[in-house]
Every structure is written in C-alpha cells, then in structure tokens.
Amino acid sequence: MQNAPFEIVPMNPVIGAEIHGLDLSKPLGERTVAGIKQALLDHQVIFFRGQELDPDSHMRLAGIFGELEPPHPIFPKIESHPQIAVLENDENRPPETNIWHTDVTWRDKPPLGSVLYGAEIPASGGDTMWASMTALYEALSPSMQKMLEGLRAVHSIAVFANSGNYETSQDAEKMMEVLKLYPPQSHPVIRTHPETGKKALFVNATFTTHIEGLPLDESAAILRFLAEKVKTPEFQVRFKWEKGSVAIWDNRATQHYAVADYYPQYRRMHRITINGDVPY
C-alpha cells in the first residue's frame, strides 16, 4: 500500500490542482486516500500525469470514492468492465461534449464525481476546462442568490436523441426505452455540498430544460444568464492532456467543457462515474 508523501500544486486559487508523486496503478493506503479525497474537496478537480491504468486499476482507483455507477445507457463501454465508458472521437465521430455541463444530472442521484483517463490523446488540442460552481454562486449578488434559492429545475437525458455518434441514440426504439428508464428529474437550482456545506449552482446548458414554476420566457432568460456566467475565465481551470493523464472531479460543484479543436484527430478517453446522492 502506498502511503508515501505526495505534492499538491494548485493551478489557480479557485479551482484545480496537480498531484505529483503517486502511482495510481497500485493500491493506495488509507493516509494517501484521505489526502486525495481532501485535495478533491479543496480544489474540486485534481490531475495526475504519467499514469498507466488498466481497467482493473482504473476501477480500483474510482472505488476509493464510493460505489460505482451502473453502465452509462448511451456511451460505449469496455466489454469486460462495462462501468468504464469509452469516449471516442475521430473523423467519423465528431466531438459532441464541447458544451458546458455537469455529468448525468438527469438521474435522481447525480454522480459524486468521475475519474477520466487519457488512453489516446491527439497530437494537439483536446484540452478540457472545468468551472467552479461554488465560485460562480459566491460571485452572484445577494439579490440574485436570494431569488434562486428554493427554485428547482428539470434535467433530461433527451439531448442524446440528437446525437449521431452512438448506436443507442441512432435507434429510435432503444432511445425511447432509455427515456422511459430515465425520466426527467427535478433538482434545486442551488444545491448544498453534502461534505463541505458550501452552496453551488446546479443547472447546466446541456441537460437542464427549464426552471419549474416560472413562465418559459423567464426560465429561459435566467438559464441563459447563468450559462453565460459559467464562461467567466476567473471561475475556470484548463487542463492539457497527455497520454496517461488522469482527471478526477467533484461533479457536485463543477461543470466542464471538452474543447473540440482536435477534430478530425483521434481521441479516446475512459471514464468511470461514482454514485452520488439526492441534491438538496
């Protein structure tokens, strides 16, 4: 078990840190696990470089944070390890995640977080950006914070029906089954982090359809305003991938955006998500 000291290097004061000195392919000791978990709470997204994760070690790493989510209903999987989603893009499968989003908010219990491994990285481009929804909330005026408190918004998986990259989304009957299995979910617009107690924005431009109880034009205007705020660079960190890089992020307090500037080059990422809880 690794319990060796490791170095945490913040990437800016708001969000993101690189961690050096660990081999994630090997089991981690209790002190190391506790340190990694605290670093995630402190920095919201943490990065490691030069790792070699096979499916078993990837699963073991993700498992330190909790129970793993079931296989994603849309993304392809590694056959022997179906909880590992394969995000694969090339000339025939253009990138589609170049929009700000929080993962899987269309579930009743959205994920705690995700562990993403860079299996094949293009020669140039393909960075990912993360934004702190805690910092965004804290930057809102007290009046706006008060207005948003208590509001709830609906999140839906239906956006995948417009994808041309996945077998399920291209099959109308399969997609209808997915929509029945995962009906729209209502979550608070502002959620409280279950571990830090901090408040964070919890709507996103990909999966949030509308704010409950408001006329559609008012709902759309508020969601547009908040989506624009997410684009503020001062809330963000940008990570340049290398083969063998790992990113772990807190899905309860962040959004991310996969930059699509590498097209038509090949990019393959392996992602595991960790079970979360009901937002409040």
Side-chain angles (χ1 to χ4, degrees), residues 96-114:
E96 294 181 341
T97 52
N98 55 327
I99 183 171
W100 285 103
H101 63 285
T102 301
D103 285 336
V104 198
T105 57
W106 36 265
R107 288 192 60 184
D108 59 338
K109 297 178 179 179
L112 176 154
S114 292

Side-chain angles (χ1 to χ4, degrees), residues 213-235:
L214 294 182
L216 290 179
D217 58 346
E218 291 183 9
S219 168
I222 293 171
L223 292 175
R224 277 196 304 270
F225 166 77
L226 295 172
E228 285 299 312
K229 296 290 284 185
V230 175
K231 300 175 185 178
T232 304
E234 285 78 4
F235 303 146

Side-chain angles (χ1 to χ4, degrees), residues 15-17 19 22 24 28 33 36-37 39-41 43-48 51 53 58 60-65 112-117 130 237 239 241 245-252 254 256 270-274:
I15 181 173
I19 295 182
L22 291 176
L24 300 179
L28 303 172
V33 167
I36 291 173
K37 287 182 175 180
L40 183 62
L41 292 177
H43 301 284
Q44 300 186 329
V45 56
I46 52 179
F47 306 104
F48 305 80
Q51 304 295 321
L53 295 186
H58 192 177
R60 183 174 61 242
L61 173 62
I64 72 174
F65 296 96
L112 176 154
S114 292
V115 180
L116 185 65
Y117 176 64
W130 280 263
V237 66
F239 183 67
W241 288 94
S245 295
V246 175
I248 305 173
W249 64 93
D250 190 333
N251 201 62
R252 301 162 295 186
T254 62
H256 55 282
H270 295 170
R271 191 190 79 183
I272 299 175
T273 55
I274 301 112

Side-chain angles (χ1 to χ4, degrees), residues 4-180:
F6 56 88
E7 182 183 18
I8 301 173
V9 181
M11 298 175 72
N12 67 52
V14 175
I15 181 173
E18 285 201 19
I19 295 182
H20 306 290
L22 291 176
D23 181 352
L24 300 179
S25 69
K26 298 177 180 178
L28 303 172
E30 289 184 10
R31 282 189 296 140
T32 299
V33 167
I36 291 173
K37 287 182 175 180
Q38 188 59 52
L40 183 62
L41 292 177
D42 292 341
H43 301 284
Q44 300 186 329
V45 56
I46 52 179
F47 306 104
F48 305 80
R49 296 192 182 275
Q51 304 295 321
E52 294 185 10
L53 295 186
D54 61 19
D56 286 335
S57 56
H58 192 177
M59 295 275 285
R60 183 174 61 242
L61 173 62
I64 72 174
F65 296 96
E67 294 183 358
L68 306 185
E69 282 212 328
H72 193 283
I74 303 293
F75 295 151
K77 297 98 179 163
I78 293 179
E79 186 174 345
S80 60
H81 296 72
Q83 286 168 301
I84 302 179
V86 177
L87 310 178
E88 199 168 21
N89 298 104
D90 54 26
E91 184 175 5
N92 298 316
R93 292 164 294 183
E96 294 181 341
T97 52
N98 55 327
I99 183 171
W100 285 103
H101 63 285
T102 301
D103 285 336
V104 198
T105 57
W106 36 265
R107 288 192 60 184
D108 59 338
K109 297 178 179 179
L112 176 154
S114 292
V115 180
L116 185 65
Y117 176 64
E120 295 291 339
I121 304 301
S124 60
D127 297 356
T128 304
M129 300 187 294
W130 280 263
S132 170
M133 295 301 96
T134 304
L136 188 156
Y137 171 80
E138 293 172 350
L140 296 174
S141 69
S143 296
M144 179 60 72
Q145 292 176 352
K146 184 177 180 180
M147 186 192 76
L148 295 176
E149 285 287 348
L151 294 178
R152 299 183 66 84
V154 174
H155 300 245
S156 173
I157 194 176
V159 65
F160 282 110
N162 298 318
S163 171
N165 284 354
Y166 307 112
E167 178 184 349
T168 299
S169 58
Q170 295 172 19
D171 186 315
E173 289 187 11
K174 288 183 179 179
M175 195 64 210
M176 284 299 297
E177 288 301 313
V178 169
L179 293 172
K180 290 178 182 178

Side-chain angles (χ1 to χ4, degrees), residues 177-196:
E177 288 301 313
V178 169
L179 293 172
K180 290 178 182 178
L181 187 62
Y182 296 101
Q185 297 292 328
S186 172
H187 300 307
V189 172
I190 304 298
R191 74 172 294 179
T192 301
H193 196 287
E195 295 185 76
T196 68

